[in-house]
Amino acid sequence: MPMILSALLLLGALAAIFFALRRQEQKRGAAPGPAGTLEYRTPLALDECLDRLRQKSADDLFAYTCQREPDGSFLLHFTLHRPTNQPLDTLYRLRLEAGRRTVVTLSFVREAFGYREPVFPQGMLDKFLAAKLNAAQSPPPEG
């Protein structure tokens, strides 16, 4: 009987640790910043943003793909090759919301090799979106 009780307590402790880590990961993903959520605004219409994302050029800061998901969002997959031929690879979820100014939201999904932080600095993302969509970062929420 004590062995069964010990096994149940161990399973309970493991479940508590699992749910605590999962809650922590969700909070990190919702936090503003390059490892969480970044929000930009652009004067371009939603269709024009989509058209510009489809047009790739040699002047783009990143090589990227933009794949539409069933929920209406896009997976924006950035790749940058270094001289060592080791690619840097980051995946963001991209949402576009129409309005007077289109809101562009980037949510960090993953980095190559399982990193929990994006390798690309936020300044590079700002520069890419400014050149591609004429978008500027929204000011952080006050509070």
Side-chain angles (χ1 to χ4, degrees), residues 25 28-29 34-36 65 67 74-79 87-94 106-120 125:
E25 186 69 21
R28 184 194 61 79
T65 60
Q67 178 183 3
F74 297 86
L75 284 179
L76 191 57
H77 187 196
F78 292 122
T79 307
L88 297 177
D89 182 33
T90 306
L91 187 66
Y92 281 92
R93 183 166 311 282
L94 170 75
L106 286 178
S107 300
F108 178 72
V109 176
R110 68 162 176 77
E111 182 63 55
F113 314 115
Y115 295 141
R116 292 179 179 244
E117 301 287 329
V119 172
F120 301 126
L125 291 173

Side-chain angles (χ1 to χ4, degrees), residues 28-41 53 62 64-66 73-78 90-97 103-110 118 120-130 132-133 135-138:
R28 184 194 61 79
T37 303
L38 296 170
E39 189 174 281
Y40 299 84
R41 298 195 185 275
L53 285 170
F62 300 105
Y64 69 94
T65 60
C66 190
S73 67
F74 297 86
L75 284 179
L76 191 57
H77 187 196
F78 292 122
T90 306
L91 187 66
Y92 281 92
R93 183 166 311 282
L94 170 75
R95 290 200 174 275
L96 298 169
E97 297 173 30
V103 177
V104 179
T105 306
L106 286 178
S107 300
F108 178 72
V109 176
R110 68 162 176 77
F120 301 126
Q122 183 175 340
M124 289 178 80
L125 291 173
D126 294 347
K127 186 176 175 184
F128 173 80
L129 289 171
K132 196 71 169 172
L133 301 177
Q137 189 171 9
S138 299

Side-chain angles (χ1 to χ4, degrees), residues 10-26:
L10 180 62
L11 283 174
L14 289 174
I17 290 169
F18 172 77
F19 287 113
L21 289 173
R22 195 166 132 196
R23 183 178 308 136
Q24 182 182 13
E25 186 69 21
Q26 288 172 343

Side-chain angles (χ1 to χ4, degrees), residues 44-51 74 95-99 102-103:
L44 302 175
L46 182 82
D47 292 338
E48 196 172 350
C49 288
L50 293 173
D51 290 342
F74 297 86
R95 290 200 174 275
L96 298 169
E97 297 173 30
T102 302
V103 177

